[in-house]
Amino acid sequence: MSPEHPISAQPSSEPTPSIEGTPPAETTAGQASSIENQAAISPDSEQFPLPDVVSSPAQPEPLEAGAAPQLSQPAELVYPAPLTEGTPIVQQPAPASEAPTAAPEEVAPAVAPTAIADEVIAVVEPVPPVAPQAVAALIEPALPIAPAVAPVVEASNGVFVSGKAIVLPNGKVGESYSFKFTPDVVDLGSCLNIRVLGPEGLGLTFDQATQALAGMPSLAGQHELRLSYQPATAKAGDPAHIRALQWYVNPDPRSLWTEHEPAADLLARKDHVAHQIVAEGPKTIVAASRRGRSHAKDAKFREDDFRCYFQTESKSYVLAVADGAGSATMSREGSRLACETATDHVLSALSGETSAKLRQLTDAYDAAEGSPESRKALQDELYKLLGNAALLAARQITQTAEAAGHVARDYATTLLLALCHPTANGWLVGAFWIGDGGLGLYRRQEGIRLLGEPDGGEYSGQTRFLTMKETFEASSLYGRVRFELVPDFDALVLMSDGITDALFQTDSNLAKSEKWGELLDGINSAAPLQRDNQELGAQLSEWLNFWVKGEYDDRTIAILF
């Protein structure tokens, strides 16, 4: 996550609560009401003591410190080779804007370039002057720019230096370029033997028919070219006229980003790229995470993390994505602890009575046709399950920070946690969301259903974190748990803000179904979401390297499809 300004919370003197078995009395469809009869957490210091977990009879005991849950063996993480260290490209003599210079509409060459003769761009071999009415007969196809002839000198050596240098519009490496010599620049309408001379490898051609330079610039920097021509009145042996052309090509901004390895003595090391596939049960999970360009440039680790599982006993899927705060020194470890602790608790609870209780409550919900009472009972059970998972994750982070001599905010992280549990008529999808990023259930016909809301602030980069004191205020925590009951779905997606900021830009766009359709279509074109796609994990990791100007944060995504 890029450096941010966390939203501050006003401290309170109320006692520390726990997640009880009886949350608020009322909820409405799709939204949770505030919790009653529970005090707000507001500790006296940054090292806040997190509340104890209180389990109802139907709720299995939370994990003891060091206890390992009974889990099905998850698919093994696959890590590609680390990114290599690059070298900066500094070719421009003066600072150039990263923003690409708008280029005129591309003009394609009249025909494919042909061979070069005599180290110049020669539309034809030198010919004696002819009458203006014969000029049209001399026009030939466009030819590539060739090496310049000897430096331009005075007329005694066969050329005239004519007029001021023409400054061509800037180009950009890898972007289509076109410039036409119009009469207001230089009038070539009645001229003969028109040629453009310049260095090799520029990626341009000159089309005499349109009097245009066009192509794909391939070499950044300042370039000197020559426009050579003869007036229609020239006689045999008359020298050519020369106009100097000055052309600057901006580099591709992607080539300017360097990659550096973090210091060898740093703890909590993490691979720069990771991906995972879980191909068990009726659906498939694919997840991938990539270090952002800004962290690669600054020799930092990837601060995002994820965990994905399929549990055989309950036939459920559990997914988590976390984004460590860019301003927190140990956030990469905070995101790991959040994902690991939260998913461990959910899997452990599902191995006990929770799975059966969820089936009972979803059956009752269907029988009651989604009555407010049946909805609240199901919401309450998910509140205990997912709320306790988040609470235990925050506690684990706090304990780890204290043991290492840090404060909890040094491990600040967001957390997106999702459960997909089978029902008699389809799927129960529950979620907990703290921070930015996005968590949505997508059905192509019905559109997107967000399972929470992104936490934003007055300024860009502001958000809330799992380690903040106000996260576990009862009213706030209950509202962070959402669920949907659906017969089926196309994709359940969890993603960090490195993706949502780049591809959605605004919170309002995050709620638009067409934007989610574009996201999944784009992923499918680069990494087909098919269970038998053996390269899916690597392809999704590569897709995360997409380019959007100004968006260089870590990127992580987990998709259940």
Side-chain angles (χ1 to χ4, degrees):
M1 174 175 292
S2 302
E4 61 294 291
H5 307 282
I7 297 176
S8 58
Q10 295 298 323
S12 167
S13 59
E14 297 297 326
T16 295
S18 60
I19 298 181
E20 301 289 349
T22 307
E26 296 182 0
T27 61
T28 58
Q31 294 184 346
S33 67
S34 61
I35 216 164
E36 298 177 357
N37 302 320
Q38 294 194 31
I41 292 179
S42 190
D44 298 328
S45 69
E46 289 295 332
Q47 296 292 88
F48 64 97
L50 289 163
D52 291 329
V53 179
V54 178
S55 302
S56 65
Q59 173 71 16
E61 290 300 322
L63 297 177
E64 294 296 330
Q70 299 300 314
L71 311 178
S72 60
Q73 185 63 30
E76 183 178 359
L77 285 175
V78 181
Y79 296 104
L83 303 176
T84 58
E85 183 171 348
T87 304
I89 297 178
V90 183
Q91 300 188 43
Q92 55 205 63
S97 172
E98 178 183 283
T101 303
E105 183 178 354
E106 180 180 4
V107 180
V111 297
T114 59
I116 301 171
D118 299 328
E119 297 185 321
V120 297
I121 293 181
V123 176
V124 294
E125 293 294 327
V127 295
V130 295
Q133 60 268 24
V135 170
L138 298 177
I139 296 177
E140 296 288 340
L143 293 176
I145 290 183
V149 295
V152 177
V153 291
E154 296 302 325
S156 59
N157 277 1
V159 297
F160 284 113
V161 178
S162 176
K164 295 181 179 180
I166 298 172
V167 180
L168 303 177
N170 286 2
K172 181 180 176 182
V173 170
E175 288 191 1
S176 179
Y177 181 86
S178 180
F179 173 78
K180 185 174 183 179
F181 292 99
T182 54
D184 60 312
V185 176
V186 56
D187 190 356
L188 301 174
S190 61
C191 294
L192 308 173
N193 302 333
I194 305 171
R195 299 176 293 174
V196 175
L197 318 175
E200 291 182 338
L202 293 184
L204 294 181
T205 61
F206 175 66
D207 186 344
Q208 192 179 36
T210 60
Q211 296 181 358
L213 282 169
M216 191 75 69
S218 56
L219 185 62
Q222 182 74 41
H223 304 294
E224 299 293 334
L225 296 83
R226 302 286 187 269
L227 174 65
S228 173
Y229 59 92
Q230 288 182 310
T233 57
K235 298 181 176 60
D238 282 358
H241 287 246
I242 294 292
R243 289 290 296 274
L245 306 176
Q246 296 179 357
W247 187 43
Y248 186 79
V249 178
N250 289 301
D252 182 345
R254 284 170 283 193
S255 68
L256 301 179
W257 286 93
T258 57
E259 296 178 357
H260 303 284
E261 289 300 312
D265 59 348
L266 289 179
L267 302 176
R269 305 188 72 81
K270 186 177 290 188
D271 290 282
H272 302 324
V273 182
H275 65 258
Q276 178 185 10
I277 297 176
V278 179
E280 300 179 61
K283 291 188 176 291
T284 302
I285 302 175
V286 61
S289 183
R290 175 178 286 272
R291 180 174 69 158
R293 291 180 174 90
S294 59
H295 289 161
K297 178 180 69 70
D298 295 337
K300 293 183 177 180
F301 285 108
R302 172 171 55 94
E303 293 168 347
D304 286 7
D305 219 310
F306 67 90
R307 291 292 185 277
C308 301
Y309 299 96
F310 172 75
Q311 188 187 64
T312 305
E313 299 95 315
S314 64
K315 297 180 174 55
S316 299
Y317 297 92
V318 180
L319 305 86
V321 165
D323 179 4
S327 59
T329 57
M330 292 298 293
S331 65
R332 62 186 181 278
E333 181 68 355
S335 63
R336 183 191 70 80
L337 290 169
C339 289
E340 187 176 90
T341 307
T343 55
D344 281 359
H345 173 72
V346 174
L347 292 166
S348 179
L350 291 174
S351 296
E353 299 177 1
T354 300
S355 179
K357 186 68 177 294
L358 289 175
R359 290 181 184 275
Q360 175 187 345
L361 291 171
T362 54
D363 288 345
Y365 180 92
D366 290 339
E369 298 181 347
S371 67
E373 295 79 11
S374 64
R375 184 173 186 88
K376 182 177 184 300
L378 187 51
Q379 173 87 15
D380 291 352
E381 188 65 24
L382 289 171
Y383 170 66
K384 289 190 293 182
L385 175 63
L386 301 178
N388 271 332
L391 185 65
L392 288 169
R395 175 190 293 171
Q396 183 62 52
I397 289 173
T398 301
Q399 292 173 348
T400 301
E402 291 174 347
H406 290 279
V407 293
R409 66 181 177 184
D410 290 340
Y411 291 69
T413 181
T414 68
L415 177 62
L416 304 175
L417 177 64
L419 161 69
C420 187
H421 189 277
T423 69
N425 298 311
W427 297 96
L428 166 66
V429 181
F432 172 87
W433 181 341
I434 175 71
D436 45 24
L439 200 170
L441 186 66
Y442 182 76
R443 292 181 286 170
R444 192 164 293 277
Q445 295 301 319
E446 293 80 2
I448 187 64
R449 182 69 172 179
L450 294 181
L451 296 175
E453 298 174 359
D455 289 298
E458 182 179 356
Y459 302 102
S460 176
Q462 284 187 323
T463 191
R464 295 185 186 275
F465 298 107
L466 184 67
T467 48
M468 284 182 168
K469 305 170 187 177
E470 67 268 26
T471 298
F472 295 99
E473 293 175 352
S475 59
S476 172
L477 186 62
Y478 192 82
R480 294 186 181 279
V481 176
R482 306 283 179 92
F483 75 89
E484 290 291 325
L485 281 163
V486 294
D488 202 359
F489 57 90
D490 292 294
L492 173 64
V493 182
L494 295 74
M495 52 189 165
S496 65
D497 70 332
I499 298 174
T500 56
D501 286 355
L503 300 184
F504 291 83
Q505 284 89 45
T506 65
D507 290 349
S508 61
N509 281 340
L510 192 63
K512 294 179 179 178
S513 296
E514 59 269 27
K515 288 290 186 180
W516 286 79
E518 292 171 4
L519 168 73
L520 291 169
D521 288 345
I523 291 174
N524 259 307
S525 64
L529 296 175
Q530 300 168 0
R531 189 165 187 150
D532 60 354
N533 180 3
Q534 300 298 316
E535 302 299 322
L536 179 55
Q539 290 170 349
L540 187 60
S541 297
E542 186 58 33
W543 174 81
L544 289 174
N545 202 33
F546 62 81
W547 175 265
V548 174
K549 181 188 173 185
E551 300 294 343
Y552 312 125
D553 197 4
D554 295 344
R555 294 168 181 164
T556 300
I557 188 167
I559 308 172
L560 174 65
F561 63 94

